[in-house]
Amino acid sequence: MKKIKLPVFLFGIALMVLNMSCKSKVQNATANVEGDFQKPNIVVIYLDDLGYGDLSCYGATELHTPNIDALATGGVKFTNGYATSATCTPSRYALLTGMYPWKNKDAKILPGDAPLLIDVQQQTLPKLLSKAGYQTGIIGKWHLGLGSGDVNWNETIKPSPNEVGFDVSYILAATQDRVPTVYIENGNVVNLDKNDPIEVNYKKNFEGEPTAISNPEMQTMTWHHGHNNSIVNGIPRIGYMKGGEAAKWSDVDMADHFLVKAQNYVKTHKEKPFFLYYAMQQPHVPRTPHPRFVGKSGMGPRGDVILEADWCIGEFMKTLEAEGVLENTLIVFSSDNGPVLNDGYYDDAVEKLGNHDPKGGLRGGKYSLFEAGTRVPFITYWKNHIKPNVSDALVCQIDLLASLGSLVGVEDKTTDSENILNALLGEAEKGRGHLIIEANSNTALRSGDWIMIPPYKGSPMNKKVGTETGVSLQYQLFNLKEDLGQETNLAKSNPEKLEDMVQIFERLKQ
């Protein structure tokens, strides 16, 4: 065959076209890979007062939680996963801002009429993800304050979650046991009748309005401590409220209500990457399971609402699958703090506990510096991206901001959040090196296998809820690898390690 000789310039053009074609294919392939990896939908499922031992995937034998277990067996189950704090407002503040709550003097359990705790100029997780092109939404419990100090519940409330990075918000202002007992959508009370305006006061009652003290016969749930103000749906609350009858929520329908909102968010935002903060109210008091779940656990309302929450998560996961986004959605599951049984109502949580240990062998609970206050269930799940694993890495909710920022290509080093993305994805055995935990404004240090609790004045017991506080006039030092239940204080027998921990603690607290 006779060879055809191309002119030199035609050969050069052909070679250039070939190179451009190959380069384009490589770039497109890389873009597709990076697009799949860097822009998954992100969902944070956050429970309220769920303990380390409240799930069957974390060792519970009296409660079976198959849907949460499926996340654990299909993703990374962390044995050293932490909230920053042993109470809700501080933990939620840390999760969304990446900042230690003890640095903000106002980051304590807030009343329902408190001003917004997060500064509108502050970095937040939804703001950061918005920079990467994400749609952002919150469905569920907020409890980070609203407005600037004197909220008019009958007008659009600003600032609200919408002013700190959320495009869409559908929330309850504080907690289910606090007034106002209404849902708020994008700063507006849902179903508000302007002819029946809402008034809220946390200091004094409105004249003639019934309370648990004045009208105990109106109660369908009996208060134990602290919950003796306005009565709504037969449940005595914290704080006083007048008006807003048409806007008041139905307690037994709350889980279903938030579930439908979360499902609809997925259905209406699935065309672009979205971040959804699904903040469930269970098992916080008042525990009001839907009739479908009443009696299902045999442990009273607390057990029933945990089963209800598990069912809701299962239904939510079905929606992700039905909408075709499950394999491109990273799920982070956790709780805002550890467990508490009697937290203000007589609801058989103590009496019907049986053999169940909400603490999972840990010491303390909600409100405590001991481990059960802040060590919580912590699971990451991303179908076909995360290899199922059990990890001992030290991880904390405060690190979601930097880590998820790294995932989507937005770096931020202005907060206390650390990039532990590889640990969260199950690709590294180590997470953060040190963590400061907090309870009632007291702080302690977790470092490696050790935890050090400095001396504090106060009661060693929270007598109202029956939980050890972790407070002592002496230093406390525990090796958690050998002593998970914190039974042996090594502060005196290991002074060198104590001194090392104190130095790290003081350096980090500066």
Side-chain angles (χ1 to χ4, degrees):
M1 175 182 276
K2 186 176 180 181
K3 293 182 180 180
I4 300 175
K5 292 185 178 180
L6 288 173
V8 173
F9 76 93
L10 288 179
F11 180 78
I13 291 174
L15 186 62
M16 182 173 65
V17 170
L18 180 63
N19 285 340
M20 290 176 63
S21 175
C22 291
K23 186 175 182 181
S24 177
K25 289 179 180 179
V26 171
Q27 287 176 335
N28 288 337
T30 302
N32 289 336
V33 171
E34 289 180 349
D36 290 342
F37 184 77
Q38 291 186 350
K39 297 294 176 70
N41 305 309
I42 298 169
V43 178
V44 174
I45 301 176
Y46 209 45
L47 268 74
D48 196 351
D49 295 353
L50 185 77
Y52 189 77
D54 273 328
L55 306 173
S56 39
C57 55
Y58 276 86
T61 57
E62 309 302 302
L63 285 174
H64 184 46
T65 49
N67 296 298
I68 300 172
D69 291 0
L71 298 179
T73 56
V76 182
K77 184 186 83 171
F78 291 95
T79 62
N80 284 298
Y82 285 81
T84 58
S85 308
T87 51
C88 48
T89 295
S91 292
R92 292 162 194 272
Y93 176 83
L95 184 151
L96 290 178
T97 67
M99 295 296 295
Y100 276 125
W102 47 264
K103 291 184 175 181
N104 184 335
K105 64 179 178 59
D106 296 321
K108 302 173 183 177
I109 301 175
L110 296 179
D113 61 350
L116 182 65
L117 181 62
I118 301 172
D119 190 295
V120 295
Q121 303 300 321
Q122 200 168 342
Q123 176 66 290
T124 66
L125 179 55
K127 281 184 183 178
L128 181 142
L129 293 175
S130 293
K131 292 178 181 177
Y134 276 72
Q135 308 166 93
T136 59
I138 172 176
I139 308 292
K141 175 180 173 177
W142 179 238
H143 207 187
L144 288 165
L146 292 168
S148 55
D150 186 18
V151 175
N152 183 347
W153 303 97
N154 308 292
E155 304 292 340
T156 301
I157 302 164
K158 290 185 177 182
S160 73
N162 299 73
E163 279 67 54
V164 293
F166 287 104
D167 303 322
V168 173
S169 66
Y170 194 100
I171 62 170
L172 55 91
T175 56
Q176 194 180 341
D177 58 345
R178 286 174 170 81
V179 299
T181 51
V182 296
Y183 298 120
I184 300 168
E185 183 174 21
N186 297 324
N188 297 293
V189 172
V190 177
N191 295 329
L192 176 66
D193 179 358
K194 291 294 183 74
N195 295 317
D196 182 25
I198 294 173
E199 295 181 73
V200 172
N201 196 307
Y202 268 73
K203 294 180 179 178
K204 62 179 181 178
N205 191 21
F206 301 97
E207 186 175 354
E209 291 296 308
T211 69
I213 301 296
S214 64
N215 295 86
E217 74 282 356
M218 294 178 62
Q219 299 177 125
T220 57
M221 184 181 294
T222 306
W223 65 281
H224 178 269
H225 62 270
H227 298 73
N228 55 18
N229 301 151
S230 290
I231 302 172
V232 180
N233 302 332
I235 302 171
R237 316 280 172 156
I238 300 173
Y240 302 100
M241 177 178 172
K242 180 181 179 180
E245 290 299 321
K248 290 178 179 178
W249 64 51
S250 167
D251 289 88
V252 297
D253 296 312
M254 183 175 288
D256 284 359
H257 191 76
F258 282 142
L259 170 61
V260 170
K261 294 296 178 182
Q263 290 172 316
N264 287 341
Y265 184 87
V266 171
K267 294 175 183 178
T268 57
H269 292 80
K270 64 181 180 180
E271 301 305 324
K272 296 179 181 179
F274 63 78
F275 164 58
L276 175 61
Y277 176 36
Y278 182 15
M280 305 174 76
Q281 88 279 7
Q282 303 103 319
H284 195 284
V285 296
R287 294 143 186 162
T288 54
H290 189 275
R292 298 191 311 273
F293 296 94
V294 173
K296 293 295 184 181
S297 69
M299 294 169 55
R302 185 177 187 275
D304 295 345
V305 297
I306 291 174
L307 299 187
E308 178 183 58
D310 181 74
W311 176 84
C312 288
I313 290 168
E315 294 302 297
F316 179 76
M317 296 300 291
K318 289 178 185 176
T319 299
L320 292 177
E321 187 166 23
E323 298 301 319
V325 297
L326 178 60
E327 292 191 24
N328 196 38
T329 301
L330 169 63
I331 308 285
V332 180
F333 171 91
S334 198
S335 173
D336 63 351
N337 48 250
V340 61
L341 297 177
N342 182 338
D343 204 21
Y345 299 97
Y346 289 102
D347 66 357
D348 289 333
V350 176
E351 293 79 2
K352 293 186 177 181
L353 185 64
N355 295 321
H356 180 61
D357 178 14
K359 304 186 302 298
L362 304 178
R363 187 176 180 182
K366 184 179 181 179
Y367 310 111
S368 177
L369 278 172
F370 287 133
E371 282 293 278
T374 50
R375 192 191 292 214
V376 291
F378 198 123
I379 299 165
T380 54
Y381 175 92
W382 186 3
K383 187 175 181 180
N384 294 332
H385 288 79
I386 287 180
K387 183 179 180 181
N389 184 27
V390 176
S391 175
D392 296 328
L394 179 58
V395 298
C396 182
Q397 297 156 12
I398 197 173
D399 297 322
L400 291 180
L401 189 144
S403 302
L404 295 177
S406 174
L407 177 67
V408 302
V410 181
E411 186 178 37
D412 183 276
K413 294 184 178 180
T414 64
T415 71
D416 299 315
S417 187
E418 295 185 11
N419 180 6
I420 56 168
L421 179 63
N422 288 340
L424 294 178
L425 297 180
E427 297 171 355
E429 295 181 359
K430 294 192 68 175
R432 62 159 51 228
H434 314 291
L435 174 67
I436 294 179
I437 60 170
E438 179 264 342
N440 299 316
S441 300
N442 295 329
T443 52
L445 174 67
R446 170 75 198 265
S447 180
D449 294 329
W450 296 81
I451 188 161
M452 183 276 298
I453 305 175
Y456 294 108
K457 294 180 181 179
S459 174
M461 285 292 298
N462 183 327
K463 295 180 181 180
K464 289 181 179 179
V465 302
T467 298
E468 291 184 283
T469 62
V471 171
S472 170
L473 294 176
Q474 308 297 321
Y475 276 102
Q476 298 177 81
L477 179 69
F478 301 97
N479 185 321
L480 298 173
K481 188 174 184 179
E482 299 175 356
D483 181 21
L484 188 63
Q486 296 177 280
E487 296 177 357
T488 305
N489 182 4
L490 302 175
K492 292 183 179 179
S493 62
N494 198 336
E496 295 85 3
K497 186 61 182 179
L498 176 62
E499 178 60 27
D500 179 51
M501 294 285 284
V502 169
Q503 288 182 5
I504 295 172
F505 179 70
E506 291 178 348
R507 172 171 56 82
L508 293 176
K509 286 277 287 183
Q510 291 178 352

